[in-house]
Amino acid sequence: GDGILKFMQLKDGFKTLPVAPAKLQSFMCHTWLHDDKMLVGADNGDLLLFDNAGEFQCVLPTSPGEPRAATCVIPFSKGFIIGGDDGRIRIYEKSDEPKEIYRQ
């Protein structure tokens, strides 16, 4: 939603974890990846990566960028697939290079 991103933990009831994304924006989609990280797609085309405690890791350098927002995302064994509002499907695979993280 518009500026809404919450991580919840179920441990003796629901507990909201603090989240500090790089900047406030509209979030369009999200998924849990196979390495226990969460990927969030923003309306400006950024793909944000969070760890399983809700801590912001980075904006993926291979994000589609404006004006190509990711509107849906699904994980698969080697990475994830996003569908965008520009009608394109993009496939990202885990990279061996630490700076790239995922390659398109």
Side-chain angles (χ1 to χ4, degrees), residues 51-93:
D51 69 12
N52 63 358
E55 188 173 322
F56 175 73
Q57 300 290 300
C58 68
V59 174
L60 293 182
T62 53
S63 296
E66 283 195 64
R68 297 174 293 277
T71 55
C72 60
V73 60
I74 188 167
F76 76 105
S77 60
K78 295 180 182 179
F80 60 92
I81 301 169
I82 63 169
D85 59 2
D86 60 354
R88 293 182 128 174
I89 294 175
R90 294 175 175 85
I91 300 170
Y92 290 82
E93 293 183 345

Side-chain angles (χ1 to χ4, degrees), residues 24-80:
L24 208 53
Q25 49 196 292
S26 281
F27 304 107
M28 307 293 287
C29 59
H30 73 279
T31 192
W32 285 101
L33 301 173
H34 293 289
D35 57 358
D36 282 337
K37 296 193 186 283
M38 189 168 93
L39 182 76
V40 178
D43 67 345
N44 66 355
D46 285 348
L47 296 173
L48 301 110
L49 196 62
F50 293 85
D51 69 12
N52 63 358
E55 188 173 322
F56 175 73
Q57 300 290 300
C58 68
V59 174
L60 293 182
T62 53
S63 296
E66 283 195 64
R68 297 174 293 277
T71 55
C72 60
V73 60
I74 188 167
F76 76 105
S77 60
K78 295 180 182 179
F80 60 92

